Amino acid sequence: MENNIQFVLLKPELYNAYIEIGTKAYNQHYKHLWPNGDTTTYIKNSFTEEVLLNEEQDEDTVLYLIQTNSTYVGILKITLHKKLQEYSQADALYLDKIYILNEFSGKGLGSKSLKFVEQIAIDYSKKAIFLESMQKGLALPFYLSHSYTIVANTQVPFNNVIEEEKPMYLLQKNL
């Protein structure tokens, strides 16, 4: 499967697919963060046509659908230029979202996606890639196994997330 992966740059005609895949993948992985599993706050801030239109107007934001064969299986959101830690906007890339549907997890798509993002960072002459990961769960060991290191504590930025589920880490990979 890993060889058949494509990263499809988001265009308006693909918004519905991005919204559907992003919402489904987020709910599969992160419903437990929210009281009664109600992810509405996150979905309204991430996966609406209005949000996508605004993100598309931001020249630093790049959105992709992850496709294998003819099926969309995940999404990527990248901020090309972002000041983080001691790095200037020119030197850091931020991987804002990488969500893959549960049924496609464990098949190399996450690793291939990280390599894709790393190549973008190299193409833009970045010195580091940053991302955030929940402190609990499967994502953290995955990122650590791909040479990311924990550089700071952060938390989910929404007030209505369950308090003990808020802790996150900021991770960095030097290039």
Side-chain angles (χ1 to χ4, degrees), residues 18-164:
Y18 185 95
I19 290 167
E20 180 184 335
I21 298 298
T23 299
K24 183 177 179 185
Y26 183 84
N27 283 329
Q28 287 176 337
H29 295 282
Y30 298 110
K31 242 182 163 155
H32 67 280
L33 304 179
W34 302 88
N36 305 313
D38 182 2
T39 60
T40 304
T41 300
Y42 188 83
I43 301 307
K44 283 183 178 177
N45 281 277
S46 300
F47 299 120
T48 67
E49 193 169 315
E50 182 181 352
V51 168
L52 296 180
L53 284 167
N54 286 334
E55 289 178 343
E56 188 177 55
Q57 291 173 7
D58 179 352
E59 59 189 37
D60 284 339
T61 301
V62 187
L63 306 171
Y64 293 92
L65 277 159
I66 303 169
Q67 183 179 28
T68 182
N69 300 319
S70 59
T71 304
Y72 295 123
V73 299
I75 63 155
L76 285 175
K77 177 182 176 185
I78 300 168
T79 303
L80 295 172
H81 312 289
K82 186 167 182 171
K83 181 179 176 2
L84 283 157
Q85 302 287 90
E86 70 274 14
Y87 291 92
S88 70
Q89 273 188 298
D91 291 335
L93 178 144
Y94 180 68
L95 175 53
D96 191 311
K97 290 179 178 56
I98 176 172
Y99 298 149
I100 296 172
L101 294 172
N102 261 353
E103 54 269 35
F104 295 94
S105 294
K107 300 178 188 262
L109 297 171
S111 296
K112 191 80 167 186
S113 296
L114 289 180
K115 286 179 187 153
F116 175 74
V117 172
E118 189 172 321
Q119 187 57 56
I120 291 171
I122 290 166
D123 292 347
Y124 278 90
S125 302
K126 299 298 180 181
K127 294 180 180 171
I129 300 170
F130 289 88
L131 58 84
E132 288 178 286
S133 174
M134 302 308 300
Q135 289 186 10
K136 301 178 192 174
L138 299 175
L140 181 60
F142 170 74
Y143 295 129
L144 294 173
S145 75
H146 284 82
S147 303
Y148 284 81
T149 57
I150 297 167
V151 294
N153 290 303
T154 65
Q155 69 174 14
V156 177
F158 299 104
N159 292 333
N160 55 332
V161 167
I162 296 168
E163 200 60 38
E164 57 270 14

